[in-house]
Each structure stands twice: as C-alpha cells, then as structure tokens.
Amino acid sequence: GAVVSQHPSWVICKSGTSVKIECRSLDFQATTMFWYRQFPKQSLMLMATSNEGSKATYEQGVEKDKFLINHASLTLSTLTVTSAHPEDSSFYICSARDHQNPSGNTIYFGEGSWLTVV
Amino acid sequence: SQKIEQNSEALNIQEGKTATLTCNYTNYSPAYLQWYRQDPGRGPVFLLLIRENEKEKRKERLKVTFDTTLKQSLFHITASQPADSATYLCALTTGGGNKLTFGTGTQLKVEL
C-alpha cells in the first residue's frame, strides 16, 4: 500500500538553529502534501499545504518565513524550521494525497517527526 | 465559528463490547468525513471514509454513520479488543476537498 516516509523520526537541535524535516511518498506521486503539528494530547493542526512546483499555502497564524516549505518534486516535500526556539518543540506530521488512487480522496500520513529544541 | 468536536474524555469499555465514538461538527459542509486511528507517538492511520451521500460504511468490525442533517458521525467498533486501544480522530474534508481538518480525538481503552 501507499507509504509516506518522514525523516528524521526525531531530532534535537539548539535554540537558534534551523532543522529540516523531509516527507517522501514512496510508491505514488503526490502533487499535494500537507504539514501538521501536534502538541501532546491535542489534535493535529494544519500548518500549510505544499504544492509541487509552486509556493505553499499557509494557514492563518503560521509564519511562512519561520516554517519554510519546499515541494521540489512529486515525491518530496521539506519543512525547515528556521531559528528554532523551545516553543517550536512539537510533533510534526506530513501527509500526501495520492491523486492517482481510484478512490481519489485517501490521504496517507507519515510517522511523524519529533522536534525538541533545547 | 467552525468546530469539530469529539468526546474529550477517554472511553473505557470491556473487551467484546461495542465502542461508539461521536464526532459532531458545526459550520462545515464536508464532502467527506474520515476516521483515523493514532497510537502514541505515531502518525494517524486511515480507517474509513464516508461521503456526504452515504449513510453508513462498514469495514470488518468497523462501522461509520454520517448524518449531514444532525452534522454528526458515529464510529463503532464491534467485538472490541485491547489492541483497539488508541486515539480515534475524525476529520472533515474542507477547502474544496483539498484539506483535512481534524477533531480533537477520543482516546479509547479496551480492558480485559
């Protein structure tokens, strides 16, 4: 079945540095990928929609200069947290839509990436 | 304002019983509603999708209903097992079908 892979699974970085998280669709092409963050015991909050070959669409309240998204190919989107601070520590999850799937509307999620900023 | 609400309190049931989880929404007109399972520290796993013109969907021990008049979906797990213990999230397809907006999730615990 469809698989979405995230890397790294967990990362610890120093405050003020930047960290990049990758999201790959392994056996399908994804023109659209989504980035979420999730705080403990809370639901997933959509941060942005990543569109292959164009700029990402950010949700209200999400700083596009802080959370840089690049979707350079049909199988890869990256999220870069720039100048990270401890409050950016969270669980970041990506998902991808398989447009070629006959059902047309199934979205597959990655396993998530834990970011801890110290 | 738009809301997707699920029971915030954990649901504890005995093995073998049917678990019923509720998802209510306001100020949405979703084309689809989906249910996901999430285990601690893992990404959500897709379970079922139901369209606005469908009343009920089944998959093995799972059943989902969708009442667009009540703006509610019910998620049932029959013959529950301890392995069913997880957080279950409902999600609406919005933004022209291009976005998923999640509910708060309900934690289910199935006890022996």
Side-chain angles (χ1 to χ4, degrees):
Chain A
V3 176
V4 173
S5 174
Q6 278 186 245
H7 178 80
S9 300
W10 57 270
V11 58
I12 301 173
C13 71
K14 291 185 177 180
S15 187
T17 62
S18 296
V19 61
K20 180 186 288 186
I21 301 170
E22 294 185 347
C23 178
R24 293 180 185 273
S25 57
L26 297 185
D27 55 1
F28 64 96
Q29 293 182 335
T31 55
T32 307
M33 290 184 172
F34 305 89
W35 287 96
Y36 294 83
R37 68 186 298 181
Q38 186 177 31
F39 292 108
K41 296 191 183 298
Q42 295 188 24
S43 191
L44 284 76
M45 298 301 295
L46 180 64
M47 299 174 66
T49 302
S50 171
N51 302 298
E52 188 267 335
S54 66
K55 291 183 179 180
T57 303
Y58 289 82
E59 295 300 301
Q60 192 173 9
V62 178
E63 298 176 61
K64 63 180 181 180
D65 293 331
K66 180 167 184 63
F67 299 100
L68 300 178
I69 292 173
N70 185 287
H71 194 155
S73 78
L74 287 172
T75 59
L76 174 65
S77 176
T78 61
L79 168 68
T80 302
V81 183
T82 63
S83 186
H85 289 98
E87 57 265 31
D88 298 324
S89 300
S90 186
F91 190 46
Y92 292 87
I93 309 171
C94 74
S95 67
R97 176 186 299 282
D98 180 1
H99 287 275
Q100 295 176 323
N101 185 305
S103 68
N105 284 285
T106 300
I107 298 176
Y108 300 95
F109 282 81
E111 286 293 338
S113 300
W114 286 99
L115 170 63
T116 301
V117 184
V118 297
Chain B
S1 61
Q2 294 177 316
K3 286 183 183 178
I4 305 172
E5 295 180 313
Q6 296 182 251
N7 292 341
S8 57
E9 294 185 8
L11 177 64
N12 296 329
I13 65 166
Q14 201 170 20
E15 182 180 20
K17 301 291 186 184
T18 297
T20 299
L21 285 70
T22 305
C23 175
N24 294 295
Y25 60 93
T26 55
N27 293 324
Y28 283 104
S29 296
Y32 309 88
L33 187 146
Q34 304 187 31
W35 283 89
Y36 287 80
R37 169 185 173 138
Q38 187 176 27
D39 290 287
R42 310 292 294 273
V45 174
F46 170 76
L47 296 175
L48 279 169
L49 176 152
I50 187 166
R51 293 176 170 79
E52 60 179 339
N53 61 350
E54 297 176 319
K55 297 293 185 185
E56 183 178 296
K57 203 79 166 282
R58 291 175 185 262
K59 179 183 176 182
E60 298 174 351
R61 295 185 295 113
L62 309 180
K63 184 178 85 170
V64 171
T65 62
F66 192 13
D67 188 325
T68 55
T69 301
L70 291 178
K71 295 186 182 298
Q72 180 182 78
S73 175
L74 299 178
F75 177 78
H76 306 273
I77 305 175
T78 59
S80 59
Q81 305 165 2
D84 295 326
S85 299
T87 295
Y88 291 86
L89 301 161
C90 73
L92 302 183
T93 306
T94 58
N98 204 32
K99 289 186 190 179
L100 268 183
T101 304
F102 282 86
T104 49
T106 298
Q107 185 178 9
L108 172 67
K109 293 180 183 177
V110 181
E111 300 165 336
L112 292 170

